[in-house]
Amino acid sequence: MKKIVTKFGGSSLADAGQFAKVKEILLMDEARQYVVPSAPGRRFKTDDKITDLLYKCHRQVENGEDFQETFDLIAARYMDIAEELGLTVDLGAALDEVNEKIAAGANADYCASRGEYLNGMLLADYMGWRFLDSATVIKFDAQGNLDAELTNKLMAEALADGVPTVVPGFFGSFMDGTVHTFSRGGSDITGAIVARAVNASVYENWTDVSGFLMADPRIVEDPREISMITYKELRELSYMGASVLHEDAMFPVHKAGIPTNIRNTNDPSHPGTIISLDAPFDAAHPSITGIAGRKGFSVVSVEKAMMNNELGFGRKVLAAFEDHGVSFEHLPTGIDTMCVVVSGAELAPVREKVLAQIVATTSPDTITVHDYMSVIATVGRGMVHNCGTAARLFSAMSKAGINVRMIDQGSSELSIIVGVDDADYESTIRAIYNAFVR
Ligand code: ASP
């Protein structure tokens, strides 16, 4: 039987009106049997997210300040929702318990997790569905890493009876039962875990946008929506800075071969974006899937004649970064040059030490550092089907008068990565977008 796991983000459950939309969506398809809620998000631009208020309570207790005013704001949000929806759940008792535990100095993770916990209680009551406390089924090891296999087993067992269930997002617990959260935005991961555990046909991630856009709308005016993307393409775009979905949410579903569908709670008839293992290439679609990038890189170029004859040269260069805790992002190389692209902010505090170590261990002819470089990835599974993609991309950049400082095309042919001055970041994205889409 078809099973759908849904996850609703904070803005989708920000007030009673949004809860009503969620209920309608859930009842629209009887395959939607499992739902993962976030905590109530912002109702308007200047509003507070419940999670932020819960962290604030924790900080106030830590600083010996009164947190009651902050807690009252939280309680009022939940009470309003419960009252407007006519719920019967004993929210007062649950709120009192949370209040007491925060006052007694509960840890930050416990405090923050109550946003999802309480919202899950409300949603379960509203739907007439079972509530499953995520702390009993999502398990972390002592280092705080998810124990994916144990979690999958516990979750699958808990949901094996097929009873429609609400599983609050964002948290689980250590082996001793102490509550632990994922990083911010982590309800996406909970949704993916549930989808894997019940072997869902699809993982629907409901938010307030109708899927992914081909480029950042703050840079490109009215960019096209992406109807289909593969997990690999999305991984490249997210790595380069595009964000809608928590990065770690892709792994459980990708591994299990379950597609993710990004949907809009405020526009439920819109099909959104489908992320799948193997999206077919659509010839009618632009040959690129998306463009994303980041600013603020530094490029360390090491030059030495005949470096290719020197066994271990690359390792020694990279060791200088590793020894100082700087991870490299890209590694374009020439015949006698090796360029290491790193985050400028990570390099800055240890720059002189890294350079001195490279000089000491490899005796290069020259070593130079260029700062303020942007890295932009043009991603598309369609690139392999089209010759001339690179020519089109670089001629668009040259027509726009943009100087290419670095080129890096992965052997997967899934993306072409270019480095440009930070000042050219926006115009590069626009030039590439216009060349392929407009
Ligand atoms: N409520 C948490 C946050 O604001 C987790 C989530 O919404 O996914 O980060």
Side-chain angles (χ1 to χ4, degrees):
M1 205 189 102
K2 194 176 161 207
K3 280 185 230 159
I4 300 175
V5 171
T6 57
K7 177 259 168 181
F8 287 87
S11 61
S12 301
L13 291 162
D15 59 23
Q18 292 298 90
F19 264 71
K21 289 185 193 171
V22 168
K23 185 170 192 171
E24 210 178 307
I25 290 167
L26 289 174
L27 296 182
M28 223 183 308
D29 188 337
E30 60 180 24
R32 294 188 177 124
Q33 296 162 355
Y34 306 99
V35 57
V36 174
S38 280
R42 292 190 185 93
R43 292 159 295 181
F44 41 88
K45 235 186 168 152
T46 53
D47 197 15
D48 291 307
K49 283 185 175 185
I50 290 291
T51 310
D52 292 335
L53 291 176
L54 286 161
Y55 278 122
K56 187 172 172 190
C57 286
H58 173 73
R59 276 196 311 275
Q60 287 175 319
V61 172
E62 255 191 346
N63 298 338
E65 293 161 18
D66 184 13
F67 75 99
Q68 216 49 57
E69 208 175 298
T70 315
F71 191 81
D72 288 348
L73 290 174
I74 297 167
R77 287 281 296 274
Y78 287 110
M79 292 302 236
D80 283 353
I81 295 171
E83 203 171 299
E84 270 190 61
L85 299 177
L87 304 184
T88 54
V89 61
D90 189 359
L91 191 58
L95 284 167
D96 286 348
E97 189 190 335
V98 175
N99 194 344
E100 275 163 31
K101 290 210 171 140
I102 295 177
N107 67 25
D109 281 6
Y110 171 83
C111 299
S113 74
R114 296 306 92 178
E116 271 70 11
Y117 184 91
L118 294 166
N119 225 23
M121 277 180 61
L122 294 188
L123 188 59
D125 191 76
Y126 187 41
M127 295 301 301
W129 287 9
R130 174 174 63 188
F131 174 84
L132 173 66
D133 183 354
S134 310
T136 61
V137 281
I138 295 186
K139 291 289 171 185
F140 295 94
D141 66 19
Q143 283 71 46
N145 298 314
L146 175 73
D147 186 332
E149 294 319 311
L150 175 62
T151 296
N152 188 48
K153 183 172 165 284
L154 295 174
M155 186 73 83
E157 279 166 11
L159 300 176
D161 56 11
V163 174
T165 306
V166 177
V167 186
F170 191 38
F171 69 94
S173 70
F174 289 115
M175 300 302 165
D176 69 357
T178 312
V179 169
H180 183 60
T181 62
F182 292 109
S183 58
R184 294 300 303 265
S187 298
D188 284 344
I189 308 172
T190 312
I193 289 171
V194 177
R196 180 183 168 206
V198 302
N199 195 19
S201 332
V202 58
Y203 168 33
E204 290 179 348
N205 190 297
W206 291 81
T207 170
D208 54 4
V209 291
S210 297
F212 299 121
L213 298 172
M214 287 188 73
D216 186 338
R218 289 167 300 187
I219 299 171
V220 171
E221 210 188 310
D222 203 13
R224 275 175 70 154
E225 286 155 355
I226 302 175
S227 54
M228 272 208 169
I229 185 168
T230 64
Y231 281 108
K232 280 189 185 157
E233 287 175 310
L234 183 61
R235 164 88 184 116
E236 299 225 0
L237 287 173
S238 318
Y239 181 75
M240 294 305 302
S243 66
V244 170
L245 196 63
H246 193 296
E247 260 204 76
D248 295 342
M250 283 183 264
F251 295 108
V253 269
H254 184 182
K255 203 167 152 187
I258 299 165
T260 300
N261 188 189
I262 308 292
R263 302 284 293 265
N264 188 349
T265 304
N266 304 318
D267 187 6
S269 59
H270 194 293
T273 299
I274 294 188
I275 314 159
S276 63
L277 217 54
D278 206 5
F281 171 64
D282 173 4
H285 199 75
S287 58
I288 64 166
T289 303
I291 311 164
R294 279 191 280 153
K295 286 182 170 182
F297 289 95
S298 293
V299 191
V300 179
S301 308
V302 187
E303 202 173 329
K304 187 175 186 186
M306 311 295 285
M307 71 158 63
N308 54 320
N309 285 341
E310 235 178 89
L311 201 62
F313 187 92
R315 180 180 47 77
K316 288 178 202 155
V317 170
L318 291 180
F321 292 91
E322 186 179 344
D323 291 351
H324 294 91
V326 180
S327 62
F328 76 89
E329 309 262 349
H330 300 278
L331 203 61
T333 51
I335 304 297
D336 285 329
T337 55
M338 179 172 166
C339 300
V340 187
V341 181
V342 297
S343 143
E346 253 185 57
L347 180 66
V350 288
R351 186 183 180 113
E352 295 316 319
K353 288 185 189 146
V354 171
L355 298 185
Q357 184 169 327
I358 296 174
V359 171
T361 55
T362 67
S363 313
D365 296 338
T366 61
I367 178 163
T368 50
V369 186
H370 287 282
D371 293 310
Y372 309 115
M373 190 179 81
S374 292
V375 176
I376 295 162
T378 305
V379 176
R381 62 192 181 282
M383 284 186 193
V384 265
H385 299 268
N386 280 283
C387 49
T389 306
R392 201 154 151 200
L393 188 145
F394 290 113
S395 82
M397 288 179 67
S398 108
K399 265 192 221 140
I402 299 159
N403 184 22
V404 181
R405 296 232 322 240
M406 178 194 92
I407 304 172
D408 193 0
Q409 174 166 21
S411 51
S412 68
E413 283 202 58
L414 204 60
S415 66
I416 298 175
I417 292 168
V418 293
V420 298
D421 281 330
D422 275 350
D424 291 330
Y425 175 71
E426 285 84 2
S427 49
T428 304
I429 292 181
R430 278 193 286 270
I432 298 173
Y433 184 85
N434 291 339
F436 286 94
V437 189
R438 293 249 192 253

